[in-house]
Amino acid sequence: MGSINQEQEHLGIGRGIRRRIPLSFLIAIALVSTFFFQAQTLLRFVHLSITDDEEVKHLDSSSYSGGFTSTHRLDYGTCTDNITVPNNWCIDNDQTPRYVGNIEWPPRMIQHYTHEGYDKCLAEKTIVFIGDSRVRYQFMNLAAFLKFKRFMKCDDYININQPTHYDPECYLIDHKNRGQLDQKMEWRGWTPWYKQSTILLDSNEVEYQQSGLCDCFRLPSGRVNPKQTYENRYIKRSTRFGETNLIYLQNFENLIRLNQEYPPFSPFLPTQKRCKPGECGSGNRTNAFEGDLNATLWNMLPRLNTTHAFVNLGWEHTARFQQQSDFSCVIREFERHFPDIKLFLISHPPPTDALDDPVHHFDATKLKCDANVLDRTIVNKNVPKVWYWDTQHVLSILNEEYNHQMVEKICPLKGH
């Protein structure tokens, strides 16, 4: 598959939607929250008081469940009609598609972590995502879920027995529609999007605090020039269970660059020299680190205090399956030296022209070494093309499933 072209990364023609809450209103609220939150950030995210020490013990990777999970009862008829959802999928009683796996008899119900379960699982952990825009959107989907306490529902729900609607936070993962959310939020380029998306993910609620940094820049033309495009995001979240750090590092062509004024070379707290979101181009930054994925793992993951990392080598035309297969051995060797960092190779969702045979695109069983994998190909088999917003990028249904699988790899559910 070739490089992701400009149409895939740039604005498309928006589709008609029914707005629920104006995006400008959400951003205005987020701006106010951010002001108060930055003041509290100076206290370095003092944790909320906890009364039950046993309740807030952070989880290791052992199995757990209980009040932090939700059981979704499935509409069994949808598991077999293959009209609304493809094979291996069912719709639950809340009209949400659920992946049940390649089994002959689908279960009557399926279990996933709740929002509180996510917070407890991820507490006291640093999760690093490294990859291209498809990894970025999974990261953004996760960060939005943690803030809004719901998984977004976007245009891929149009045929799932629900009224046509589009949650405002969908613009975090869908460039084609983000200019249609509010007349005041018309698409004006990447710089405003970097600023708005950073603000929208900030929050200062009573029960939790969340704040983000965006070491981001793209040329005004919007053209995807890997050597002049930067997007590294850092999100710090504090809940009653502890602190969670989420990090996304851009990797298009096996090249990662980290800014001297951002973590891990500078503290999360604001600094006078730090560039603003969308303004961190070559003339306004100093790269303290520049290297391929291998160098990033060995040199940067320990410095970032990483506990779990989900990584890939970038665009497929620069890293075909053979290179990914070879890299599985690097993962094994890395974990031998750093046993406290769990490393996963994250595959790309197959393009829409390979949905009938996604394993042809990536087959985890043929990796050279037995490495941990978050495989985003199998669940995509024969899914409707409307579950993508272009030929490469998936919408809300699949990103939600990817994140359920990711969290359940970090904190396995009992009986799974």
Side-chain angles (χ1 to χ4, degrees), residues 6-8 18 86 97 103 136 151 184 193 195 235 244 279 316 339 363 389 397:
Q6 305 308 318
E7 292 182 356
Q8 295 164 344
R18 190 176 81 188
I103 53 180
R136 175 216 301 153
F151 274 109
K184 297 179 181 179
W193 183 76
K195 296 179 186 294
I235 292 178
T244 298
E279 301 177 8
E316 289 94 324
D363 187 349
W389 62 260
I397 294 171

Side-chain angles (χ1 to χ4, degrees), residues 318-388:
T318 63
R320 300 192 182 278
F321 181 78
Q322 184 57 54
Q323 285 115 317
Q324 297 178 69
S325 178
D326 292 342
F327 198 77
S328 64
C329 299
V330 174
I331 290 176
R332 287 287 302 275
E333 182 66 13
F334 177 86
E335 286 194 325
R336 191 173 70 83
H337 284 81
F338 294 97
D340 293 333
I341 301 177
K342 301 301 180 185
L343 201 57
F344 296 80
L345 180 63
I346 181 170
S347 64
H348 289 306
T352 54
D353 63 1
L355 294 176
D356 59 335
D357 187 18
V359 174
H360 179 71
H361 184 68
F362 180 91
D363 187 349
T365 66
K366 296 182 179 179
L367 294 174
K368 188 174 182 179
C369 291
D370 183 19
N372 297 318
V373 174
L374 177 60
D375 187 0
R376 300 187 297 174
T377 61
I378 300 300
V379 301
N380 291 55
K381 185 172 183 179
N382 291 322
V383 301
K385 291 184 179 181
V386 72
W387 289 12
Y388 285 65

